[in-house]
Amino acid sequence: MIEAALKELETTLQTRGLRLQRHSGRVQLTTPRNCGHDRKVPRLEETTHLSRAALETLAIIAYQQPVTHPQIDSIAASTRTAC
């Protein structure tokens, strides 16, 4: 189920200038390497672990986008009270 959703997201992103990068069983949303950026962009192998709050926020953004900061706060607050 997750893999199917990732494939669908990957297809959708092809027209938006973004891509899913996979490394060691993890997935990261990135810009293509040929997008013209000169600065060094951290890749999966260079990243550190995210906090639970950061992962929750990213999950909300990925599922609800486009989403505003107040909407994220509202959704996050409702998930915290439901637990």
Side-chain angles (χ1 to χ4, degrees):
M1 185 166 119
I2 292 174
E3 192 59 39
L6 286 172
K7 293 254 187 229
E8 182 180 337
L9 178 61
E10 200 165 21
T11 302
T12 303
L13 294 175
Q14 288 176 350
T15 60
R16 297 184 180 191
L18 296 170
R19 68 184 183 98
L20 291 181
Q21 179 184 351
R22 297 166 189 263
H23 179 66
S24 300
R26 297 181 292 169
V27 180
Q28 182 177 16
L29 188 62
T30 64
T31 57
R33 289 198 183 266
N34 63 352
C35 67
H37 295 297
D38 292 273
R39 68 174 190 243
K40 187 174 188 308
V41 178
R43 297 294 177 190
L44 279 174
E45 50 281 345
E46 301 170 5
T47 59
T48 59
H49 294 283
L50 296 174
S51 69
R52 183 179 175 106
L55 288 172
E56 178 183 23
T57 301
L58 288 174
I60 292 168
I61 292 168
Y63 187 74
Q64 297 287 329
Q65 69 176 314
V67 63
T68 64
H69 193 277
Q71 289 171 319
I72 293 169
D73 290 341
S74 173
I75 294 167
S78 67
T79 60
R80 280 191 292 269
T81 57
C83 293

